[in-house]
Amino acid sequence: MKTANIDTLCVHGAKDEGNVTGAITIPIYQSATFSHPSVGISTGYDYSRLQNPTREALEKTMAILEGGACALAFSTGMAAAAVIMELFCPGDHIVASEDLYGGSVRLFNNVLAKNGVEVDYLYTGNIGSVRDRIRSNTKAVFVETPTNPMMQITDISDIAKLCHKHNLLLIVDNTFFTPIYQQPLKLGADIVLHSGTKYLGGHNDTLAGFLVTNREELAERLRFLHKTIGACLAPWDSFLILRGIKTLAIRMERITENASKISAWLERQSKIENVLYPGKSGMISFVANSTETTRKILSGVKVIAYAESLGGVESLITYPILQTHADVPVEKRESLGITDRLLRLSVGIENVEDLINDLKAAMS
Ligand SMILES: *Cc1c(COP(=O)(O)O)cnc(C)c1O
């Protein structure tokens, strides 16, 4: 039998094996602990930091969507990223995309550096330059594709081949494309990272993070770190993300349709100098002709909210220089093009004409 397509998998997720009630949705098991039937016997659930049935259903669903053997749900995307970094030891070296989510840069430059792990940033779209940075102590390559906010693309299959040749872990932050548009494990990545707060949850109402892997020994280490560090997703939040995932495919379809139209419209505006849109999903970065235009847009939008975050049904616009990328060193920001004229738009599922009219009115 042919396995179901991804839109069907989003709706049905993992089957609730123990369900005897016929409930269509996974119940919220709001329990911190679970009783044992007798000495040395467990129901499979002991304590919710180790495992909880609602979180487990979500984790299995994420493993299915990303084509992984194991998925772990965290309280935030950053908690998931911080747990990956526990795989490394003082003296280790990591090569990373130069244009990363600001929180990842903050984690690498402060926490990781303090622990003696060095991160080397570069444009990972060029395989030759990644190869040149590999040293004897290099342990991993950390890639965001497309990057945030400059939309740089890295070919995951190419970089996976390079990583495996040198015995390096390939970690891919798949927050922007989601498994609907990109399944990094199938392209050779070892670990997929997600901020579930964004497209997976999809409603700007819940924080979550994920790690997914298809390598059993890695899964075991990550599971150990997950339960030991304890930044696991709560049952209620797990339920909300599961509910969000049911509509992921259809949201991505609408979001891509809206974003394609908006990016084409932005390209035609005389006050907009450059538009960066990777052709799918809902993230558009664009450069205005002046700081004044940037400020007019930010304070003039009414349908679109001037707010951090992305990936929800509501359209949001951010000013990376003051928000998501405020902690990225100035020289770094400038060399990447993250200036005071750059805006980042997360397109939602509203009517596209209303979104365009909103931008038009704010700009004029
Ligand atoms: C938001 C985001 C994160 C961090 O996730 P949180 O859920 O906010 O902790 C990591 N990577 C990318 C690409 C993001 O957009």
Side-chain angles (χ1 to χ4, degrees):
M1 194 182 92
K2 184 185 180 304
T3 42
N5 289 297
I6 195 154
D7 35 6
T8 305
L9 294 172
C10 285
V11 177
H12 291 277
K15 290 279 166 257
D16 187 4
E17 308 290 354
N19 173 2
V20 291
T21 65
I24 293 294
T25 56
I26 304 284
I28 302 165
Y29 288 86
Q30 191 67 45
S31 187
T33 190
F34 299 85
S35 67
H36 302 296
S38 62
V39 179
I41 306 285
S42 165
T43 60
Y45 302 96
D46 303 310
Y47 185 64
S48 279
R49 173 157 42 73
L50 315 185
Q51 195 47 288
N52 172 284
T54 315
R55 191 173 81 229
E56 188 174 47
L58 171 61
E59 291 175 341
K60 286 185 172 163
T61 299
M62 276 306 292
I64 292 170
L65 296 183
E66 283 288 5
C70 163
L72 297 166
F74 292 83
S75 50
T76 66
M78 288 318 300
V83 159
I84 301 180
M85 297 308 150
E86 294 298 329
L87 296 172
F88 305 108
C89 298
D92 286 352
H93 172 252
I94 296 173
V95 175
S97 302
E98 60 182 353
D99 176 39
L100 286 182
Y101 175 68
S104 301
V105 176
R106 186 166 54 223
L107 173 73
F108 295 168
N109 290 359
N110 298 284
V111 183
L112 221 53
K114 164 185 79 67
N115 295 344
V117 178
E118 193 190 339
V119 181
D120 217 346
Y121 300 96
L122 80 164
Y123 168 56
T124 47
N126 183 337
I127 298 294
S129 45
V130 176
R131 186 186 303 116
D132 292 345
R133 294 287 180 97
I134 297 173
R135 311 180 195 156
S136 57
N137 60 338
T138 306
K139 294 290 156 62
V141 175
F142 184 100
V143 169
E144 215 176 273
T145 181
T147 59
N148 180 0
M150 302 311 286
M151 309 297 165
Q152 296 173 356
I153 301 286
T154 295
D155 187 311
I156 298 175
S157 309
D158 282 356
I159 209 150
K161 283 183 204 119
L162 178 72
C163 286
H164 295 152
K165 198 166 141 211
H166 295 268
N167 209 14
L168 311 178
L169 282 181
L170 176 59
I171 304 158
V172 178
D173 183 332
N174 201 26
T175 301
F176 272 29
F177 269 1
T178 82
I180 298 293
Y181 293 130
Q182 176 167 278
Q183 293 164 319
L185 297 177
K186 293 189 179 161
L187 302 172
D190 300 291
I191 302 176
V192 169
L193 164 69
H194 273 284
S195 169
T197 313
K198 315 296 168 53
Y199 290 107
L200 298 172
H203 293 75
N204 290 321
D205 58 7
T206 314
L207 299 179
F210 293 97
L211 295 181
V212 194
T213 182
N214 48 14
R215 289 181 39 195
E216 201 39 61
E217 79 287 358
L218 205 51
E220 210 153 297
R221 286 171 73 195
L222 292 171
R223 259 190 225 113
F224 174 83
L225 290 166
H226 185 232
K227 76 172 179 191
T228 303
I229 291 171
C232 51
L233 196 63
W236 171 243
D237 290 356
S238 299
F239 171 83
L240 285 173
I241 302 291
L242 261 176
R243 186 163 77 161
I245 288 174
K246 286 176 190 282
T247 56
L248 176 65
I250 195 164
R251 280 188 284 109
M252 292 315 278
E253 194 178 311
R254 169 69 169 237
I255 282 170
T256 296
E257 191 186 313
N258 280 357
S260 306
K261 289 180 183 158
I262 293 171
S263 76
W265 179 82
L266 283 168
E267 300 256 11
R268 295 194 300 272
Q269 304 311 303
S270 58
K271 288 185 181 168
I272 303 302
E273 286 184 354
N274 195 14
V275 181
L276 305 168
Y277 177 59
K280 46 196 170 187
S281 196
M283 300 305 296
I284 305 173
S285 291
F286 57 97
V287 183
N289 61 346
S290 67
T291 322
E292 197 207 336
T293 307
T294 329
R295 290 184 181 260
K296 265 177 131 173
I297 294 172
L298 290 172
S299 45
V301 283
K302 294 197 169 64
V303 179
I304 301 167
Y306 170 26
E308 259 174 85
S309 201
L310 63 105
V313 289
E314 298 92 355
S315 296
L316 306 179
I317 193 160
T318 56
Y319 200 21
I321 197 169
L322 292 186
Q323 295 178 292
T324 50
H325 290 68
D327 281 352
V328 176
V330 181
E331 326 78 72
K332 178 98 224 163
R333 268 196 326 235
E334 281 174 0
S335 74
L336 289 169
I338 306 173
T339 67
D340 58 2
R341 290 187 291 127
L342 181 82
L343 291 174
R344 194 193 73 184
L345 178 64
S346 167
V347 177
I349 65 165
E350 300 93 336
N351 183 299
V352 71
E353 280 177 30
D354 294 335
L355 296 175
I356 290 175
N357 287 338
D358 197 36
L359 288 167
K360 193 190 280 177
M363 244 190 265
S364 59

